[in-house]
Amino acid sequence: MSEQPVVVAARRTPIGTAGHAYKSLPADRLAAPVIAAVAGEVPHLAVDDVVLGNCMGPGGNLARVSALAAGLGHDVPGLTVDRQCGSGLAAILLAGQAVRAGDAGLVIAGGVESASTAPLRTMRGAAEPYRRAPFAPPGHPDPDMGPAAEALAAAHGISRERQDDYAFRSHARAVAARFDDELVEIDGRRADQRPRVLRRETLARLPAAFVPGGTVSAGNSSPISDGAAAVAVVPERLRAGLPGLRLVAGAVTGCDPALPGWGPVPAVRRVLGRTGVRMADVAAVEIVEAFAAQVLAVTDALEADLDRVCADGGALALGHPWGATGAVVVTRLFSRLVRSGAPSGTLGLATAAVGGGMGVAALFEVV
């Protein structure tokens, strides 16, 4: 058990809507203060590596740039991970693997996204920048995430009313929650920009956003966002009595690229199958709320108790900074379980769907 990975600190930025709160801040300026804050909570250990998820940033090994900007020193390396919307959680799983193998004592892992400052990319010889890179090669489905969420809702009978009700709940819970202990002030901002009081009547009036006559609207979809989150992962032998979340197991799986929102289902099932844990045993679930339709299809299939899912709201209310959001859900689990004083042995689950047809999931236990 001495090399079992444990998350002993978790912090995030307030999340801003793209083009607004952090419209001029590049990704490293979002990530660096969070990395520094997390490192400061584990003062008895030197940082061995920084692993950051990122999807659309400037390149140049953003994790290394951010580590230097955080003042960690020239000897701290960095690794940047792209697993699209699962990048932040995938980075934490990689950190856990390094710790479990005995190759590292302290790894800071998480993710960052600045959609506001992401560069435009152009194919050589093309007249215009391309909107996004492909998630799948020719001959395979490659839908945008909005139409894919619409297809998932249709395939699993998720009604517009259920989606709007869930979005209403996410905002209401985020407005009522207090996130102060997990937030790092960025550029003078101390609170998430987006959560607000919604009216069900307003949600119901919004038109379908992606498919004429469809059920997925701007109101039950997450916004494009900027933000960063990071955690400190250490082996049990170096925990020094700090409370935390032991990383019990993680999994990354593939699924039909036509229905990428389904990815958490096989990923969670693999984690549960490996550990012998049932969904009923899990006290807290954090899923990246890219779309209400996707959350409901996944939780229905997993027979998850919705009262345990995103209890303080999720990405529908807070925002969805792609490369960071998988680390945001782990930070939320840390607050829900560790900061709240949940007893040892309490289980939490973090999961995300990934463009191109993948899912990532991780099971944690309070220690």
Side-chain angles (χ1 to χ4, degrees):
M1 291 290 289
S2 65
E3 303 297 336
Q4 288 294 307
V6 182
V7 173
V8 294
R11 302 289 293 276
R12 68 176 179 90
T13 68
I15 297 172
T17 302
H20 292 272
Y22 308 130
K23 63 181 180 181
S24 300
L25 285 185
D28 62 286
R29 286 187 57 192
L30 290 172
V34 180
I35 292 170
V38 168
E41 294 188 21
V42 198
H44 65 290
L45 294 175
V47 179
D48 287 323
D49 204 355
V50 173
V51 186
L52 287 184
N54 180 257
C55 298
M56 300 293 290
N61 191 357
L62 186 54
R64 167 67 170 173
V65 175
S66 299
L68 290 171
L72 296 189
H74 293 177
D75 57 336
V76 179
L79 170 66
T80 304
V81 176
D82 179 1
R83 222 186 263 277
Q84 290 298 300
C85 297
S87 299
L89 184 49
I92 293 169
L93 293 183
L94 287 173
Q97 290 166 8
V99 166
R100 186 178 283 111
D103 292 335
L106 167 58
V107 182
I108 295 178
V112 60
E113 202 71 56
S114 173
S116 294
T117 66
L120 297 175
R121 292 172 169 82
T122 306
M123 294 293 183
R124 191 178 299 275
E128 298 289 338
Y130 59 83
R131 191 172 49 81
R132 69 163 172 86
F135 293 145
H140 293 263
D142 189 17
D144 286 343
M145 297 304 284
E150 188 71 68
L152 190 65
H156 293 274
I158 309 299
S159 69
R160 170 67 183 263
E161 182 179 14
R162 285 189 70 199
Q163 293 175 54
D164 286 351
D165 282 348
Y166 187 86
F168 177 87
R169 187 197 89 148
S170 184
H171 277 269
R173 294 192 174 195
V175 168
R178 295 191 62 85
F179 301 118
D180 297 358
D181 290 343
E182 69 189 36
L183 293 177
V184 176
E185 181 179 330
I186 300 290
D187 207 29
R189 178 166 288 276
R190 298 181 178 89
D192 299 299
Q193 181 180 14
R194 179 177 165 84
R196 59 199 188 278
V197 177
L198 293 179
R199 299 176 62 223
R200 283 189 172 86
E201 297 82 1
T202 302
L203 284 169
R205 285 198 298 267
L206 293 173
F210 304 105
V211 176
T215 60
V216 179
S217 72
N220 56 45
S221 305
S222 62
I224 298 172
S225 306
D226 303 328
V231 307
V233 184
V234 303
E236 171 63 34
R237 62 182 172 82
L238 297 178
R239 183 161 64 91
L242 291 172
L245 292 174
R246 179 171 69 92
L247 175 56
V248 179
V252 182
T253 59
C255 67
D256 184 351
L259 296 172
W262 187 250
V265 175
V268 169
R269 285 175 175 166
R270 181 173 293 182
V271 166
L272 297 182
R274 286 175 176 170
T275 59
V277 170
R278 303 169 302 158
M279 279 300 299
D281 300 326
V282 179
V285 178
E286 289 290 328
I287 182 172
V288 175
E289 292 179 348
F291 301 90
Q294 173 247 332
V295 174
L296 293 168
V298 166
T299 53
D300 285 356
L302 294 173
E303 298 182 345
D305 180 353
L306 273 183
D307 287 338
R308 303 181 187 185
V309 176
C310 297
D312 297 317
L316 289 168
L318 301 174
H320 181 15
W322 305 305
T325 196
V328 170
V329 294
V330 177
T331 302
R332 294 270 53 258
L333 269 187
F334 193 89
S335 288
R336 286 180 63 185
L337 298 178
V338 178
R339 289 189 173 100
S340 71
S344 295
T346 303
L347 296 175
L349 183 69
T351 187
V354 181
M358 291 184 288
V360 57
L363 182 68
F364 296 90
E365 179 184 16
V366 175
V367 293

